[in-house]
Amino acid sequence: MVVAPSQVRLIRGNFEAKNGGTAFAEDLKSRQYDEEVIKMFNNLFTMLPMVGLIDGRILCVHGMISFDLNKKNLREGWRNGDPCREKTHLELAWNDPSSQVEDCERKPDRPDTYRLGPKDIKGGMEKLGVEFIIRGRQVMPNGVQRFADMPVATVFSSSGYSEDNLAAVLFVDPEKNAITPIFLANDRIKSQEQLDKKLAEGWETDGYDHAPVLRWFGQKKKKE
């Protein structure tokens, strides 16, 4: 962001709530920062959009799509709300895909948000006119995994967050309709050989497969 501020975009997640869900505020206080600094962060959080679009076709969101989204309000970004209190912001920050449900069901640990099945996800994507969803709320053991052979991928860019999970980033090439993951090793994996072995192990994760290259097959953007 500092080197190329015009080329970096951030979206808001569940931790960018007021006071960062309290724990963030407490951490700032423990480091001797005062209430004014906490207030500045809270103001910054409200400026971050809950959703973003790449090439007009790839939806970026922390959690998952909300039932309140449509083509018109999608481009508004959904700023200013609270992802721990307000309905649409809650769903965008906390909803998850799940192969265990056909449509949707309320999450038992957070009943004001949902687990979305393939049918609802497909319908939501058609409603919004998007071809691929990139999300980041759940830890992925190998850094990135695709959901149920659908154009939905979860990418997690922090290694070692949960035991020895890997981290990854995604490289998007709209011209080739390709999204390619770049895997990042953690402190326990320091060689390519170790990384290849880790990726080959496979994981039991709800509805996810482990394709090394993700592709979506929409219409290429017409050059004007």
Side-chain angles (χ1 to χ4, degrees):
M1 290 183 63
V2 176
V3 176
S6 64
Q7 299 177 20
V8 177
R9 299 289 185 270
L10 298 178
I11 59 174
R12 192 177 186 182
N14 54 294
F15 283 116
E16 287 76 51
K18 185 176 181 181
N19 295 336
T22 304
F24 179 68
E26 293 301 320
D27 184 64
L28 287 177
K29 290 178 182 178
S30 71
R31 299 171 188 270
Q32 309 305 310
Y33 290 103
D34 58 22
E35 292 290 338
E36 190 62 30
V37 173
I38 297 173
K39 183 178 178 181
M40 290 172 61
F41 271 105
N42 287 335
N43 290 337
L44 171 63
F45 293 157
T46 64
M47 298 172 66
L48 297 176
M50 296 293 300
V51 294
L53 280 174
I54 299 174
D55 200 44
R57 301 182 293 163
I58 305 171
L59 175 67
C60 299
V61 64
H62 183 71
M64 199 55 188
I65 53 178
S66 165
F67 298 114
D68 294 333
L69 282 186
N70 56 52
K71 287 184 178 180
K72 182 178 179 179
N73 64 29
L74 173 62
R75 294 182 178 275
E76 296 173 359
W78 288 92
R79 293 174 171 85
N80 300 320
D82 190 333
C84 281
R85 293 177 176 82
E86 297 178 34
K87 179 180 181 296
T88 305
H89 293 75
L90 270 166
E91 293 175 1
L92 292 171
W94 291 95
N95 283 359
D96 292 318
S98 175
S99 61
Q100 298 178 4
V101 297
E102 178 63 22
D103 296 317
C104 73
E105 68 176 22
R106 292 185 182 274
K107 296 167 68 174
D109 58 333
R110 188 171 285 274
D112 45 6
T113 60
Y114 298 87
R115 297 196 302 167
L116 304 181
K119 184 177 179 180
D120 259 12
I121 293 173
K122 181 180 179 181
M125 293 178 68
E126 291 174 351
K127 174 184 175 182
L128 298 174
V130 298
E131 298 171 8
F132 204 100
I133 295 177
I134 298 175
R135 59 183 301 274
R137 200 193 78 78
Q138 294 166 295
V139 180
M140 293 293 106
N142 68 348
V144 58
Q145 290 170 348
R146 187 173 177 178
F147 173 71
D149 200 32
M150 294 186 69
V152 177
T154 300
V155 60
F156 203 81
S157 59
S158 177
S159 63
Y161 185 89
S162 177
E163 296 183 355
D164 60 348
N165 71 280
L166 301 182
V169 295
L170 295 179
F171 176 76
V172 178
D173 186 343
E175 291 299 318
K176 295 182 179 179
N177 276 13
I179 300 176
T180 306
I182 301 172
F183 295 100
L184 309 174
N186 62 18
D187 292 338
R188 301 184 191 180
I189 301 175
K190 300 180 179 180
S191 70
Q192 186 62 46
E193 182 180 359
Q194 287 178 304
L195 181 58
D196 291 342
K197 181 179 179 181
K198 186 71 174 176
L199 294 176
E201 289 177 358
W203 303 91
E204 294 297 328
T205 307
D206 182 22
Y208 288 87
D209 64 29
H210 319 287
V213 177
L214 309 174
R215 293 185 181 274
W216 84 98
F217 301 96
Q219 296 295 320
K220 289 188 176 182
K221 187 176 181 180
K222 295 181 180 179
K223 293 183 179 180
E224 298 178 357

